[in-house]
Amino acid sequence: MSKGGISVDKMQPSGGVLHTKSAMRPTWLNRIFAATYLTSIFALLFHHCRNIISTTDSTTDRTTTSITIIMLVADLVLAFMWTTRQAFRMSPIRRQVFPENLTVEESEYPALDVFVCTADPYKEPPIGVVNTVLSLMAYDYPTEKLSVYVSDDGGSQLTLFALMEAAQFAKRWLPYCKDNNILDRSPEAYFTSHANFSPAKHNQIKVMYERMKMRISNVVKRGSIDGYVPDEEAPKVFAKWNSTPGFTSQNHPTIVQVIMETAIEKDNGNLMPNLVYVSREKSKFTFHNYKAGALNVLLRVSATMTNAPVVLTQDCDMFSNDPKTPLRALCYFTDSKMDPNLALVQFPQSFHGIDKDDIYSAELKDLIVHNGSGMDGLLGPSYMGSGAFFRRNIFFGGPGSYIPAQSSEISPRHVGNKSLNSEEVMTLAHRVAGCNFEAQTKWGSEIGFRYGSLVEDYNTGYRIQCQGWRSVFCTPVRPAFLGSSPITLHDMLNQSKRWCKGLLDVTFSKYNPLLFGVRYMKNFIQAICFGHYAFWPIWSIPLMIYSFLPQLCLINSSHDIFPKVTDPWLLLYVFLFLGSYAQELIEYVTYGSTAKRWWNNQRVWMMRSISSFPFALFEYIQERCGISSFGYNVTSKVLESEQSKRNAEGIFEFGVPSPLFVPITMAAIINLWALVRGMKLVILRNESLEDVFVQMFLSGFGVLNCWPMYEAMLLRKDKGKMPLKITLISTSLVWLVYLVSSSAF
């Protein structure tokens, strides 16, 4: 039923300042450096063009001319990506909120619907989903105005069972958190950080949690809930699993189960939030639109039940780390000084369990914090898929406009007054979660979360800003949410590949940011920011060239690629190389990270660029040609003890014979070969060092970055070492590439 309260737009808080913003100090330095660096880029391109003309007009062989043209292509792409990257550096700002000045009565707080998405109980353990859900249910927010909807795209009994267990535990956990003013409201995080804390009530709650955790773990291991659910309850709750023939994660009917309802659930006088399980209908004959489709179903199902004006979307592995986070979001929504077209408040994604040097660049400092602050000074950050508070009405058109949905009961203007479990509400909820409900409608194109890309967050955030909405970036000192990050190289590369495929969907659509966005966004520089993301996969072009071509030339004794040490043009290369790296390093340290983490970030960037990015491009082309179709791969959140130990020690995890490892292993072999070859030419054959210095430097830089691969191939004996199969395949391909290149040179 409706939770009461008033519209976000009509709230008029009194009291002190709710929100401040300030420009970041180095902005003017960024602009000066950008102008200087851009001038140097033009000089480099001029140098390339002059060399091409001179080699074409002379008797120089065609191979030298071709190599020069290839290097020009590499530098053109680098120049384009660097230039678009500067858009994030033009107007970065910092914001601060003051929830203590939010003097609106709790009775006037808007209702809040929280959406949590999960898809696979074996890759996303249900106990992790439970911890996320409990941390959100325990918000310092009027309980009767809070509803949590969990989308289970895998349609698993195990997930529903876990949520039913969580509901029982919540009756003890929520009052305990609020009575004791606990900040860590994820039980796992709380009991881990308070391992030596032993008051009687604490121990009692901990025992309850461990018992719940054990029951959930047991059903997941068995793959069945038999024996764990009372006989009188199972037929009602799990009827569809038992009565639907051929029930699979990709082919099953709609399931909507109200686990807790505020109007009914009380414990010792304490109200409980609504908790609703939703698994949308799936059919092998329909396209499922992956996460965006699941979110749109939650948007409609919640509209039939609570229809809160504020919606929070949350990944199942990102638990709440601050119970006052909704109040921080309200500081923006209710601030009269804010842009009235504010659509969402985005909190950065932060991660726990990262090793001290962050070998996989899991904190994503440059992508999340730096780029988020840079876009915040324009029209606001892109939607990041998790940790975002939306106004519900923004999903139904641009500012001042409204696109009607098929049914008035799912519009943002609908006011519900019936029990969530009433026959009328449940009938409608099941209907709007059907796989054919969106047929011949504007859902996914103009209404709701946008379809057409695996990165539904980027696509949705970009498209709503094209409609005229804006966003803000909220970065409190205490992270609002904490999540788990990939702890294996394969998971990290696979995740990056999925992102790139999704970005390519947008790049090669009519919504390309450099074509569509530039026309429809209110800020040209903001469109360039989105354009930089859209063209992210083309980083593979220059990185593949710089990782292989100069090295192959050195191996084949071809030295006419770069200027000699005594050539003044070499200073231009030195400035461009050191200038770019120094700028990134300064930014990384400025945003609170370390030089060691910056080094690992740039190494991971190179790994992605020669592995995830070209694979994403290849698979994208395959799909567009109808050759194959790769679905949405959920990143595994399951942690094995040995993997966790190696991750904590900062040791790369290879382990599986993945094709994604082949190009980075090939690069490691070729760069080492080229470095040894260069040393041999200088020491044994008396070649001039100045002729081969730049190529040897690039090879040495590659070897330095590839050191974890050499360890994994030659030195390590643990299960995380490089599989012998990958080493042999990579070595064979390197030899094949050498034979082809030697005939060309």
Side-chain angles (χ1 to χ4, degrees):
M1 63 178 61
S2 176
K3 295 290 180 299
I6 60 176
S7 168
V8 178
D9 303 300
K10 296 180 180 179
M11 292 179 66
Q12 296 294 331
S14 59
V17 175
L18 293 177
H19 148 259
T20 61
K21 68 176 180 179
S22 59
M24 300 185 73
R25 291 181 181 178
T27 300
W28 64 275
L29 289 175
N30 287 336
R31 294 176 181 178
I32 293 175
F33 178 78
T36 305
Y37 199 90
L38 190 60
T39 302
S40 301
I41 288 175
F42 283 124
L44 176 65
L45 298 180
F46 167 77
H47 178 64
H48 277 307
C49 292
R50 192 184 68 168
N51 285 344
I52 292 172
I53 293 172
S54 63
T55 56
T56 303
D57 293 340
S58 68
T59 58
T60 306
D61 61 89
R62 293 181 178 178
T63 301
T64 302
T65 303
S66 299
I67 292 173
T68 306
I69 292 174
I70 293 172
M71 296 305 295
L72 172 61
V73 171
D75 288 339
L76 278 170
V77 176
L78 285 174
F80 171 78
M81 293 305 291
W82 182 89
T83 303
T84 56
R85 180 86 166 86
Q86 300 315 298
F88 299 100
R89 298 181 168 118
M90 293 297 100
S91 303
I93 63 172
R94 276 198 187 93
R95 295 185 185 270
Q96 188 174 2
V97 293
F98 306 94
E100 63 273 13
N101 293 336
L102 192 65
T103 57
V104 176
E105 294 293 331
E106 285 193 359
S107 61
E108 295 184 339
Y109 282 4
L112 172 64
D113 285 346
V114 182
F115 298 165
V116 179
C117 292
T118 184
D120 187 332
Y122 295 102
K123 290 186 177 181
E124 298 171 329
I127 190 61
V129 180
V130 162
N131 273 276
T132 296
V133 168
L134 288 170
S135 70
L136 298 166
M137 293 173 68
Y139 269 149
D140 284 340
Y141 205 76
T143 307
E144 68 279 7
K145 294 177 178 289
L146 181 62
S147 303
V148 178
Y149 294 83
V150 180
S151 168
D152 175 19
D153 231 26
S156 172
Q157 297 181 76
L158 309 179
T159 303
L160 177 54
F161 172 82
L163 292 175
M164 293 170 65
E165 289 286 313
Q168 296 305 311
F169 179 67
K171 296 177 182 179
R172 299 292 181 268
W173 176 245
L174 270 58
Y176 176 74
C177 289
K178 295 180 179 180
D179 292 344
N180 295 279
N181 198 27
I182 291 170
L183 289 179
D184 298 318
R185 298 194 178 178
S186 158
E188 190 70 29
Y190 172 72
F191 291 121
T192 300
S193 61
H194 294 75
N196 298 320
F197 190 59
S198 58
K201 187 66 174 178
H202 168 93
N203 290 335
Q204 181 184 1
I205 295 290
K206 184 176 182 179
V207 169
M208 293 176 62
Y209 173 69
E210 292 298 335
R211 289 176 178 172
M212 176 191 70
K213 186 176 178 180
M214 182 62 69
R215 288 193 295 272
I216 293 173
S217 176
N218 287 340
V219 300
V220 172
K221 287 179 181 178
R222 293 177 54 186
S224 170
I225 62 170
D226 293 342
Y228 284 86
V229 179
D231 292 339
E232 65 274 10
E233 191 174 6
K236 295 183 295 182
V237 179
F238 298 98
K240 287 192 177 180
W241 280 276
N242 300 324
S243 62
T244 304
F247 190 110
T248 68
S249 62
Q250 300 300 314
N251 189 24
H252 61 77
T254 299
I255 303 170
V256 179
Q257 180 66 40
V258 178
I259 301 173
M260 298 182 75
E261 184 173 1
T262 295
I264 299 173
E265 296 289 349
K266 293 184 180 181
D267 185 72
N268 296 325
N270 296 302
L271 289 173
M272 293 289 109
N274 293 319
L275 177 59
V276 183
Y277 169 91
V278 179
S279 184
R280 57 181 172 144
E281 181 187 11
K282 282 191 172 183
S283 168
K284 58 184 177 182
F285 302 110
T286 57
F287 184 62
H288 300 141
N289 292 310
Y290 306 115
K291 186 178 175 181
L295 286 170
N296 278 338
V297 167
L298 289 183
L299 197 63
R300 296 194 295 270
V301 170
S302 64
T304 68
M305 294 183 172
T306 50
N307 208 27
V310 179
V311 169
L312 165 64
T313 64
Q314 196 64 15
D315 282 343
C316 66
D317 63 327
M318 295 287 295
F319 62 83
S320 169
N321 190 52
D322 181 0
K324 296 190 182 298
T325 297
L327 304 184
R328 299 185 190 281
L330 286 185
C331 286
Y332 292 104
F333 285 132
T334 63
D335 193 340
S336 59
K337 297 178 182 178
M338 278 301 303
D339 189 324
N341 294 335
L342 176 64
L344 72 104
V345 177
Q346 176 68 64
F347 288 83
Q349 295 185 18
S350 300
F351 303 93
H352 63 90
I354 298 176
D355 64 287
K356 64 183 180 66
D357 294 325
D358 191 17
I359 58 173
Y360 300 126
S361 189
E363 68 176 348
L364 299 173
K365 185 73 73 173
D366 53 340
L367 295 178
I368 294 178
V369 180
H370 174 265
N371 289 0
S373 298
M375 296 177 79
D376 201 12
L378 304 170
L379 294 180
S382 176
Y383 169 41
M384 297 178 182
S386 184
F389 289 80
F390 290 89
R391 298 177 191 264
R392 183 182 288 266
N393 65 294
I394 69 103
F395 293 109
F396 295 85
S401 65
Y402 173 68
I403 301 174
Q406 305 97 297
S407 171
S408 61
E409 288 87 351
I410 59 174
S411 78
R413 302 170 182 176
H414 171 67
V415 178
N417 55 7
K418 296 181 174 62
S419 168
L420 273 58
N421 260 319
S422 67
E423 183 179 353
E424 180 181 344
V425 170
M426 292 300 290
T427 299
L428 181 58
H430 279 78
R431 184 168 69 86
V432 300
C435 57
N436 294 319
F437 183 81
E438 295 180 355
Q440 308 300 317
T441 70
K442 296 181 179 180
W443 281 96
S445 59
E446 298 180 46
I447 303 177
F449 295 86
R450 303 306 198 261
Y451 300 153
S453 171
L454 284 174
V455 283
E456 82 295 326
D457 46 2
Y458 167 86
N459 193 26
T460 299
Y462 160 58
R463 296 275 296 281
I464 64 176
Q465 287 199 6
C466 287
Q467 287 181 310
W469 296 107
R470 67 153 302 160
S471 58
V472 296
F473 197 48
C474 186
T475 55
V477 175
R478 181 180 175 88
F481 304 99
L482 287 177
S484 58
S485 60
I487 66 165
T488 71
L489 183 62
H490 180 259
D491 281 344
M492 183 274 289
L493 293 175
N494 203 48
Q495 183 184 63
S496 299
K497 183 183 72 172
R498 177 170 58 82
W499 290 345
C500 284
K501 285 175 64 180
L503 291 170
L504 288 168
D505 285 325
V506 180
T507 304
F508 293 103
S509 73
K510 68 177 182 180
Y511 298 108
N512 182 296
L514 298 186
L515 300 175
F516 184 88
V518 166
R519 284 184 294 159
Y520 290 96
M521 274 191 175
K522 294 181 179 179
N523 189 300
F524 172 80
I525 299 178
Q526 180 82 354
I528 300 300
C529 290
F530 279 104
H532 176 82
Y533 283 132
F535 285 90
W536 218 35
I538 69 172
W539 277 120
S540 60
I541 297 173
L543 266 294
M544 291 287 283
I545 292 173
Y546 271 98
S547 294
F548 291 95
L549 183 58
Q551 292 79 356
L552 288 169
C553 290
L554 181 57
I555 292 170
N556 288 283
S557 301
S558 179
H559 313 144
D560 298 327
I561 299 180
F562 301 104
K564 297 180 180 180
V565 174
T566 54
D567 191 334
W569 281 103
L570 181 62
L571 295 176
L572 182 62
Y573 282 86
V574 172
F575 171 73
L576 290 171
F577 178 82
L578 294 181
S580 177
Y581 272 80
Q583 185 183 38
E584 295 281 353
L585 172 59
I586 291 170
E587 286 176 348
Y588 229 74
V589 174
T590 300
Y591 280 93
S593 196
T594 64
K596 188 67 175 291
R597 288 194 170 200
W598 163 79
W599 171 260
N600 287 325
N601 175 69
Q602 68 85 28
R603 176 167 56 189
V604 165
W605 167 68
M606 288 194 286
M607 288 182 179
R608 289 182 179 131
S609 297
I610 65 174
S611 178
S612 303
F613 296 1
F615 268 86
L617 184 60
F618 178 70
E619 289 185 8
Y620 176 82
I621 294 172
Q622 277 190 311
E623 290 182 16
R624 287 296 170 267
C625 294
I627 297 175
S628 62
S629 179
F630 297 87
Y632 179 92
N633 293 317
V634 178
T635 302
S636 177
K637 281 80 177 181
V638 178
L639 307 181
E640 296 181 5
S641 58
E642 289 300 316
Q643 289 180 343
S644 298
K645 182 180 179 181
R646 288 190 289 270
N647 181 66
E649 294 173 354
I651 300 174
F652 273 79
E653 185 74 27
F654 295 91
V656 297
S658 170
L660 288 169
F661 296 155
V662 171
I664 58 178
T665 306
M666 290 177 63
I669 295 171
I670 282 184
N671 277 270
L672 182 59
W673 186 1
L675 181 61
V676 173
R677 171 68 174 172
M679 295 171 64
K680 180 179 178 182
L681 289 174
V682 173
I683 298 173
L684 300 180
R685 298 190 180 181
N686 295 319
E687 289 276 356
S688 173
L689 178 61
E690 72 173 37
D691 291 340
V692 297
F693 175 77
V694 178
Q695 287 164 280
M696 287 185 64
F697 173 81
L698 283 175
S699 300
F701 187 69
V703 168
L704 185 62
N705 278 281
C706 291
W707 187 253
M709 270 71 78
Y710 304 129
E711 288 182 325
M713 286 189 288
L714 304 173
L715 304 178
R716 290 169 55 183
K717 303 298 182 183
D718 56 75
K719 293 183 179 179
K721 68 179 181 179
M722 182 71 75
L724 180 61
K725 178 181 178 180
I726 296 299
T727 302
L728 294 177
I729 291 174
S730 301
T731 304
S732 302
L733 290 175
V734 165
W735 185 251
L736 179 62
V737 169
Y738 165 70
L739 293 177
V740 173
S741 66
S742 61
S743 63
F745 290 105

